[in-house]
Amino acid sequence: MTPRPGPPQEPRTVEGVYRFLLTPRWWGINVFVLLAIPFCVFMGSWQLSRFEARVEDHRNAGEQAAENKQEAARPLAELLPVDKATVGRQVTAHGRYDKQLLVPDRELDGRRGFYVMTLLRTDDGKALPVVRGWLPGDADRAEAPAAPTGEVTVTGALQASEVPGENGVPAQGGLPSGQTGAISAASLVNLVSYDVYDAWVTLAKADSGMKPVPVAAANDTGLDLKAFQNLGYTGEWFVFAGFVVFMWFRLLRREVEFARDAELGLVAQDEGGESAERPQERANAS
């Protein structure tokens, strides 16, 4: 007895297989993907631009340092406030030396030592921190030479106020009297009774046998850890974008496989004709 042929099955179409893309669940997934990918690409591009800007600043800082050594010194007031364009420029200031402080734990040529810094009381009454030189060893007042007396005119490189914990500046406290951890107006305001410029100067020629302190680069202009963090974040954001695409295709493939299994009768159906819950949903519920 030959079996009766069943009703002809309707040909499977692409529209039928991918009809699930029109469900609310997949509308939410697609909208999330369409928003997440541009956002990740934008953030990665922004971090990359930050890294490129730091590379450019590092290159410009090197060129500017060479130019600053050849230019004539200018009055201090013309170069304030200090920024990336004025750091390292040669300045002159006139006044009388006042209080002298030591700045410990500073390295020069691979050796540990300290700065000898003296506050210069200018004609307007404010004080300008002047680093007159560097000496090796532990900070000791007896070894620091006394500052010149009377009216003096100093010439040196303009520097921005230091920030403890950045660019090699130690973030230590509890120093002995006559010492300061950072050269900045914020650190010196409690040590003197007069206003202090938010800048300092390192002399081109150190006093009394001390070594001159080299010019430090402006903040956020070098290829430091922060610069390479920007580069690392760039890679992370692009990886996130790729991961979103990967997960979308993975979910799509699973949904297509489920739809095909349902058409072949490999997925149980309830009495209402609805497909039973997906295997992964059943596993999650348990």
Side-chain angles (χ1 to χ4, degrees):
M1 182 177 181
T2 58
R4 295 181 179 180
Q9 297 183 355
E10 296 182 0
R12 185 170 57 189
T13 61
V14 175
E15 292 81 357
V17 175
Y18 293 96
R19 189 178 298 136
F20 61 85
L21 291 175
L22 300 178
T23 61
R25 173 173 172 267
W26 271 92
W27 269 107
I29 293 175
N30 293 334
V31 170
F32 172 79
V33 171
L34 291 176
L35 294 177
I37 292 177
F39 177 77
C40 292
V41 173
F42 169 78
M43 292 300 297
S45 302
W46 178 74
Q47 291 288 351
L48 181 60
S49 67
R50 292 290 299 162
F51 174 76
E52 292 175 343
R54 288 177 179 273
V55 173
E56 185 66 21
D57 288 342
H58 179 70
R59 184 183 300 111
N60 293 338
E63 296 175 354
Q64 181 177 330
E67 296 176 357
N68 292 340
K69 294 179 179 179
Q70 300 177 357
E71 71 174 4
R74 297 170 59 184
L76 175 65
E78 296 182 7
L79 299 178
L80 294 177
V82 185
D83 55 23
K84 293 181 180 180
T86 59
V87 165
R89 302 282 292 273
Q90 295 294 309
V91 299
T92 61
H94 181 78
R96 291 175 175 268
Y97 279 125
D98 194 70
K99 186 172 184 176
Q100 182 161 286
L101 299 168
L102 307 181
V103 188
D105 295 329
R106 298 304 177 100
E107 290 189 2
L108 183 63
D109 298 333
R111 301 176 62 190
R112 178 174 171 273
F114 61 96
Y115 294 167
V116 178
M117 182 197 69
T118 311
L119 296 173
L120 180 72
R121 294 292 302 273
T122 59
D123 297 335
D124 61 2
K126 298 180 67 174
L128 174 68
V130 177
V131 175
R132 297 170 44 234
W134 175 90
L135 290 173
D138 295 330
D140 188 351
R141 288 185 180 183
E143 296 183 6
T149 59
E151 298 284 339
V152 296
T153 298
V154 298
T155 301
L158 185 64
Q159 299 279 257
S161 289
E162 296 179 332
V163 178
E166 296 185 5
N167 294 342
V169 179
Q172 61 181 351
L175 295 174
S177 176
Q179 297 185 20
T180 180
I183 309 173
S184 67
S187 299
L188 299 173
V189 67
N190 295 324
L191 302 179
V192 294
S193 59
Y194 38 80
D195 293 335
V196 179
Y197 281 106
D198 192 20
W200 58 284
V201 169
T202 174
L203 296 183
K205 295 182 179 179
D207 291 342
S208 306
M210 296 183 290
K211 289 187 177 182
V213 175
V215 178
N219 293 334
D220 298 329
T221 57
L223 295 179
D224 53 8
L225 179 60
K226 290 183 179 180
F228 290 101
Q229 282 179 341
N230 291 130
L231 187 61
Y233 293 150
T234 299
E236 288 182 0
W237 281 111
F238 287 132
V239 169
F240 291 158
F243 180 75
V244 171
V245 175
F246 167 76
M247 288 303 300
W248 185 87
F249 275 106
R250 185 178 180 183
L251 292 174
L252 178 68
R253 186 184 65 179
R254 287 187 176 183
E255 198 75 27
V256 170
E257 292 176 352
F258 181 83
R260 289 174 177 173
D261 291 344
E263 290 183 0
L264 295 175
L266 300 179
V267 178
Q269 294 185 344
D270 57 21
E271 295 179 356
E274 296 293 336
S275 298
E277 59 182 355
R278 295 175 176 79
Q280 61 269 27
E281 294 177 350
R282 189 184 305 115
N284 293 335
S286 60

